[in-house]
Amino acid sequence: MPVFKAPFNGYSVKFSPFYESRLAVATAQNFGILGNGRIHVLELAPGAPGVTESVAYDTADAVYDVCWSESHDSVLIAAIGDGSVKIYDTALPPPSNPIRSFQEHAREVQSLDYNPTRRDSFLTSSWDDTVKLWAMDRPASVRTFKEHVYCVYQAVWNPKHGDVFASASGDCTVRIWDVREPGSTMIIPGHEYEILSCDWNKYDDCILATSSVDKTVKIWDVRSYRVPLAVLNGHGYAVRKVKFSPHRRSLIASCSYDMTVCLWDYMVEDALVGRYDHHTEFAVGIDMSVLVEGLMASTGWDELVYVWQQGMDPRAS
Amino acid sequence: MATHQQTQPPSDFPALADENSQIPEATKPANEVQQATIAQDPPTSVFKNSEPIREDQIQNAIKFLSHPRVRGSPVIHRRSFLERKGLTKEEIDEAFRRVPDPPPSSQTTVTTSQDGQQAVSTVQPQAMQPVVAAPAPLIVTPQAAFLSRFRWYHAILAVGVLAASGAGTAVFIKRSLIPRFKSWVQRIMLEEETDPLKKADAKPSLAEEAVAAAKAASAAASDVARVSQEMMITKNGERKYFEDLTHLLGVQVQEMKSLSNNIRKLEGQSNNIPKIYSADQEVYNGSVTTARKPYTNGSNVDYDTRSARSASPPAAPADSSAPPHPKSYMDIMSMIQRGEKPSNIREINDMPPNPNQPLSDPRIAPKSKPWDYGQAPQDESSNGQWWQQKNPRSTDFGYETTTAARFTANQNETSTMEPAAFQRQRSWVPPQPPPVAMAEAAEAIRRPKPQAKIDQEAAASDGQSGVSDELQKITKFSESGGDGSGGIKIAEIQEETEQQHISQEGN
């Protein structure tokens, strides 16, 4: 299984929605505390070493998240620790990049999500308690959603409803928003501790997974959100990211500060269906490929990016 | 079934945002069509609260909001607390409406909430460490501070008054009681001397009297002792309270000092950091709140005090151990605390060289998602390249280039040979789309799609007659695509066409 060693600590990894063998990695120097950042665009190749870097972009501050455009196959967007959002075009020569830099957030931008249904807009969430909506062709944000009282760690579009998104915050709530509404439409006090990540079920548009500092992943149905559908226990420390599979209805991947990546099936009694402990530091980024079923990637503070097929050992060569 | 995609250009967003309608089914013709065909957006969206307002929750909220301590806290913290208790927006608004006007201090929250929220709310429960209790009173609003100052003043006054009264009572007792006692004893002695005869008779009565007097005296003395003891205790209590307050104050002052020291240090070294930071300096320096995040994270006190990037990734709840951070992480944290900058940081200019650089044209049309067809494909896997285990093609890229050639050369042969195989191999290809029942309606819905979305929809709606059109579009694609990457699209469309062929030929 290919492994990529980055010079900086990994923060996020995302597969391209256009190319099966392409992925982007967001990294930050000095664990993201203080220092530069770098975005790597990697290509999977047959034979050793399995993965090569096709281009890398340096940034002045840490890169906390990266996401691919759904409308342009060569465009990717980066969330930077100095509060800026930068757009890169891999089809242009590296010195022409970045092609845009939006400085609006007052604090670190923690996450990005591109709208998979409308394909023309994306969300950023930041430690300044806000979520911003952007369109690719506009020089400024379209809207700012300010209701959380603490860092918003992630904002995710609903895969079926192009106007609906969810945001997970350190104020221990998840909010559902509709861009047609002035404010949030639903508040789910999901955990007793900070909620670090959330993701929608791709096959059931009312089901949402949240992961928290309390080491659990909870599955919610927004139609009856008082009680979770399932609580997934098994991680030893805070669960940093959670992701629903694009191919199987009830399959979830999560990564945690206990350095493992876990696979869950929340419809099953014994929900933990897989555990990968390949990382030697906090595992903070995870993604499942939309184009290739079963292909997963993860990254962590051990500066490594692993790409592997479900069921195989990520460290196998 | 294809869903609503790209029916509204981005310019609709501000219009939508300005609309203050509470009705999600805002009357847009495109949406209505979508709703009619898709039935996934019922008139009341599932993403809104449809529960009725719960009166008991509102009563609890009113009790909470009427509490004097809560009155002194910022409005945003009160809202957040109620939200975390599970109240809906409507219930919270109703509770706020019913509680009488909040005190003037709440107005400060409107401004404070803008520049990074205040520290932990005074009403937040278990997630806080005891340390938080110390800074909380300091960061409380001016009115509350005024109140506490008032209390200290009162405390001092009370202590002084009690001490004075205690002293006065003691003096008074000394002055009045003892002379009385003395004179009483003297009287007895005198009576003894002047009346020895009476002694015999008087003795028992005298003795009785003496006993009674002694009892009274002892009772009085014990009363006095008790009272003075009580006074001493209260005095001590007051003094202890006073000392506690001064101690807390001292702790807060120390923390403020250390924070301001750190800020000054980083101010000093911020001159070396690239300009991009400068916009944030004011935020970092101006807000005391840099400390709040680590506190509520439950992380170690060590990295609470850094203010360069205050929140490390949220670590753990306060009651369980924090995850073991890498050793070098702690090294860097301590370096930052000491005011040193790690030496490996470079000056990088990451601003766009041409902010108006247009995006390059997309070479591939957006692909549909596996979930757009409503079913989770359950394809079998077969061996191949390790990361394409489900796809038996030998290489991804090789296939693209050869497909284009094959397609233009002998499309029919290739297609009829292995349509079923295609379906099996390409795991993300959806199962056959449902037959088009009403072709006109389907076309009408999908017609206003922009060029980029012509692939599957066009294939499905065109049917048999549209194959020639397909060919033209496909050749256009391959021309514009140029390299093999356009081949994926070609294969897709071919596939769709083939499925249509099969389904219609089979009927």
Side-chain angles (χ1 to χ4, degrees):
Chain A
M1 302 285 119
V3 179
F4 176 75
K5 170 83 172 65
F8 301 154
N9 307 100
Y11 259 86
S12 172
V13 60
K14 291 270 171 78
F15 282 101
S16 165
F18 289 91
Y19 300 105
E20 296 180 4
S21 54
R22 184 175 294 185
L23 52 147
V25 184
T27 64
Q29 203 180 22
N30 300 325
F31 304 98
I33 301 170
L34 186 66
N36 308 126
R38 185 173 291 180
I39 302 154
H40 302 267
V41 178
L42 306 179
E43 292 285 338
L44 300 169
V51 61
T52 53
E53 177 187 280
S54 69
V55 69
Y57 302 110
D58 281 313
T59 56
D61 205 339
V63 187
Y64 286 144
D65 199 7
V66 71
C67 92
W68 291 96
S69 163
E70 296 271 348
S71 58
H72 293 73
D73 59 302
S74 57
V75 172
L76 60 87
I77 313 173
I80 315 287
D82 58 8
S84 68
V85 176
K86 293 186 159 50
I87 302 188
Y88 293 83
D89 191 336
T90 58
L92 296 173
S96 310
N97 277 298
I99 55 173
R100 302 279 187 278
S101 176
F102 305 122
Q103 185 80 42
E104 277 194 35
H105 279 293
R107 295 213 55 188
E108 291 82 340
V109 187
Q110 176 74 22
S111 91
L112 285 165
D113 192 39
Y114 208 96
N115 194 320
T117 42
R118 290 186 177 277
R119 303 184 203 263
D120 59 0
S121 49
F122 62 94
L123 291 170
T124 56
S125 79
S126 162
W127 291 0
D128 66 1
D129 314 346
T130 66
V131 175
K132 281 186 190 274
L133 172 68
W134 309 77
M136 289 292 282
D137 52 352
R138 287 182 175 228
S141 62
V142 175
R143 253 192 89 174
T144 301
F145 302 92
K146 189 176 172 64
E147 273 189 33
H148 283 293
V149 296
Y150 205 68
C151 311
V152 187
Y153 291 117
Q154 192 159 13
V156 194
W157 289 104
N158 187 295
K160 291 248 165 63
H161 303 266
D163 296 314
V164 175
F165 67 93
S167 62
S169 164
D171 65 6
C172 313
T173 63
V174 167
R175 282 176 203 254
I176 315 288
W177 309 75
D178 187 323
V179 298
R180 299 165 291 194
E181 300 287 323
S184 64
T185 58
M186 208 181 270
I187 302 168
I188 306 178
H191 295 258
E192 292 294 311
Y193 295 96
E194 299 190 42
I195 304 181
L196 303 183
S197 173
C198 62
D199 195 24
W200 294 94
N201 188 325
K202 311 292 188 282
Y203 292 91
D204 194 334
D205 54 346
C206 296
I207 300 212
L208 185 63
T210 61
S211 79
S212 164
V213 169
D214 66 4
K215 314 177 211 172
T216 66
V217 173
K218 289 192 187 176
I219 314 298
W220 306 87
D221 186 329
V222 297
R223 293 164 292 208
S224 52
Y225 65 91
R226 297 277 167 207
V227 178
L229 287 182
V231 179
L232 309 177
N233 291 297
H235 276 298
Y237 288 108
V239 187
R240 179 66 184 250
K241 265 244 167 86
V242 71
K243 198 107 185 32
F244 260 103
S245 163
H247 298 276
R248 289 191 22 211
R249 175 182 291 266
S250 56
L251 187 68
I252 299 168
S254 66
C255 68
S256 158
Y257 288 172
D258 67 359
M259 308 182 198
T260 65
V261 170
C262 286
L263 282 175
W264 313 82
D265 183 337
Y266 72 90
M267 305 278 233
V268 162
E269 178 60 40
D270 188 10
L272 186 63
V273 297
R275 174 177 245 139
Y276 304 96
D277 59 352
H278 46 288
H279 281 291
T280 55
E281 288 299 346
F282 292 176
V284 295
I286 187 165
D287 195 23
M288 305 179 81
S289 172
V290 172
L291 301 176
V292 180
E293 178 168 356
L295 191 62
M296 311 179 48
S298 75
T299 185
W301 281 12
D302 54 0
E303 304 171 357
L304 295 171
V305 180
Y306 287 89
V307 187
W308 75 100
Q309 189 72 239
Q310 260 169 28
M312 319 225 12
D313 181 2
R315 282 173 291 206
S317 48
Chain B
M1 192 169 157
T3 57
H4 47 286
Q5 281 134 356
Q6 285 197 327
T7 51
Q8 286 146 8
S11 56
D12 271 354
F13 277 125
L16 295 167
D18 292 341
E19 265 179 67
N20 232 342
S21 68
Q22 291 296 324
I23 311 164
E25 75 278 18
T27 51
K28 291 179 284 286
N31 266 353
E32 278 172 6
V33 173
Q34 294 169 20
Q35 286 165 13
T37 52
I38 292 160
Q40 280 172 358
D41 258 328
T44 40
S45 157
V46 292
F47 302 107
K48 281 177 83 71
N49 275 328
S50 48
E51 295 174 3
I53 293 184
R54 296 166 293 175
E55 190 57 39
D56 55 335
Q57 296 286 342
I58 296 187
Q59 288 306 319
N60 287 340
I62 291 173
K63 280 189 210 132
F64 165 75
L65 289 171
S66 312
H67 193 277
R69 271 201 99 183
V70 174
R71 297 298 209 97
S73 67
V75 172
I76 203 95
H77 289 159
R78 291 182 235 167
R79 284 199 81 98
S80 167
F81 178 81
L82 292 172
E83 281 165 4
R84 288 208 333 272
K85 289 300 166 197
L87 272 71
T88 63
K89 263 193 180 175
E90 294 84 12
E91 287 161 2
I92 296 174
D93 289 337
E94 181 61 32
F96 268 96
R97 256 198 298 272
R98 294 196 198 170
V99 169
D101 288 333
S105 67
S106 67
Q107 287 160 8
T108 60
T109 67
V110 176
T111 48
T112 53
S113 65
Q114 290 301 321
D115 46 334
Q117 312 295 326
Q118 289 298 327
V120 182
S121 132
T122 52
V123 297
Q124 273 191 13
Q126 65 274 12
M128 297 171 10
Q129 287 182 353
V131 182
V132 180
L138 182 69
I139 304 168
V140 143
T141 60
Q143 189 190 17
F146 175 66
L147 262 173
S148 34
R149 258 207 301 277
F150 213 71
R151 254 186 268 132
W152 302 338
Y153 177 75
H154 263 167
I156 295 168
L157 209 60
V159 165
V161 163
L162 278 170
S165 63
T169 328
V171 164
F172 174 71
I173 286 170
K174 265 198 214 149
R175 287 220 187 113
S176 56
L177 261 183
I178 288 182
R180 269 175 57 192
F181 193 70
K182 271 195 194 155
S183 59
W184 174 76
V185 167
Q186 277 173 7
R187 229 184 322 126
I188 292 175
M189 302 295 269
L190 252 125
E191 283 175 3
E192 272 191 18
E193 287 168 15
T194 54
D195 215 328
L197 286 169
K198 278 193 191 164
K199 236 197 212 175
D201 306 321
K203 234 188 197 172
S205 61
L206 248 180
E208 282 170 32
E209 255 182 82
V211 165
K215 270 192 200 154
S218 67
S222 69
D223 271 344
V224 164
R226 192 169 36 89
V227 166
S228 59
Q229 201 175 18
E230 273 172 35
M231 275 192 309
M232 287 306 295
I233 287 171
T234 51
K235 225 188 341 176
N236 281 342
E238 294 286 339
R239 194 170 290 144
K240 235 186 266 174
Y241 181 65
F242 181 56
E243 271 163 30
D244 276 341
L245 283 166
T246 46
H247 172 67
L248 282 176
L249 184 63
V251 166
Q252 293 165 21
V253 165
Q254 276 182 21
E255 282 183 34
M256 291 296 300
K257 275 189 193 155
S258 68
L259 279 170
S260 62
N261 274 343
N262 282 339
I263 290 169
R264 245 177 259 124
K265 276 181 206 159
L266 279 152
E267 242 182 308
Q269 71 191 18
S270 74
N271 297 330
N272 303 333
I273 294 173
K275 245 200 308 183
I276 298 166
Y277 272 106
S278 60
D280 297 325
Q281 281 304 314
E282 286 71 37
V283 178
Y284 288 155
N285 293 338
S287 73
V288 180
T289 62
T290 49
R292 67 174 164 116
K293 288 180 174 127
Y295 288 143
T296 54
N297 286 345
S299 40
N300 296 330
V301 184
D302 283 331
Y303 47 93
D304 282 352
T305 54
R306 74 181 169 116
S307 34
R309 175 154 293 136
S310 57
S312 64
D319 58 348
S320 70
S321 58
H325 282 71
K327 180 178 179 303
S328 44
Y329 178 92
M330 303 313 300
D331 290 343
I332 294 174
M333 289 306 315
S334 50
M335 251 172 80
I336 304 275
Q337 268 173 258
R338 287 196 300 269
E340 300 164 19
K341 206 171 69 159
S343 52
N344 50 3
I345 301 176
R346 294 189 298 148
E347 292 265 341
I348 293 178
N349 177 13
D350 58 0
M351 296 312 287
N354 174 9
N356 300 316
Q357 174 84 38
L359 292 166
S360 45
D361 293 326
R363 295 183 299 178
I364 299 185
K367 305 191 171 186
S368 66
K369 302 290 173 191
W371 59 81
D372 279 342
Y373 294 86
Q375 298 178 33
Q378 302 286 336
D379 293 321
E380 293 305 308
S381 66
S382 38
N383 285 327
Q385 197 65 12
W386 67 268
W387 76 84
Q388 295 160 351
Q389 216 161 359
K390 315 261 178 179
N391 300 326
R393 297 167 302 167
S394 53
T395 57
D396 192 18
F397 338 98
Y399 182 67
E400 291 166 37
T401 48
T402 53
T403 308
R406 264 197 288 164
F407 179 82
T408 49
N410 47 354
Q411 45 150 351
N412 287 332
E413 287 166 22
T414 322
S415 53
T416 51
M417 245 197 312
E418 26 179 308
F422 270 134
Q423 217 167 343
R424 220 190 323 115
Q425 291 164 17
R426 307 282 294 258
S427 61
W428 49 267
V429 164
Q432 289 197 20
V436 181
M438 292 169 46
E440 303 83 10
E443 260 198 28
I445 291 161
R446 289 164 185 145
R447 179 75 60 185
K449 291 283 180 291
Q451 183 73 8
K453 286 297 299 167
I454 56 173
D455 45 4
Q456 275 83 12
E457 286 87 342
S461 61
D462 279 347
Q464 253 175 334
S465 56
V467 174
S468 54
D469 292 341
E470 279 295 300
L471 276 178
Q472 288 172 5
K473 286 174 200 153
I474 287 161
T475 44
K476 268 195 215 140
F477 259 102
S478 62
E479 279 163 11
S480 62
D483 58 357
S485 56
I488 293 178
K489 197 40 52 194
I490 295 170
E492 252 180 55
I493 297 167
Q494 174 196 3
E495 221 165 295
E496 283 298 312
T497 321
E498 292 331 306
Q499 289 176 8
Q500 284 300 101
H501 272 293
I502 293 158
S503 64
Q504 278 160 3
E505 280 162 43
N507 290 345

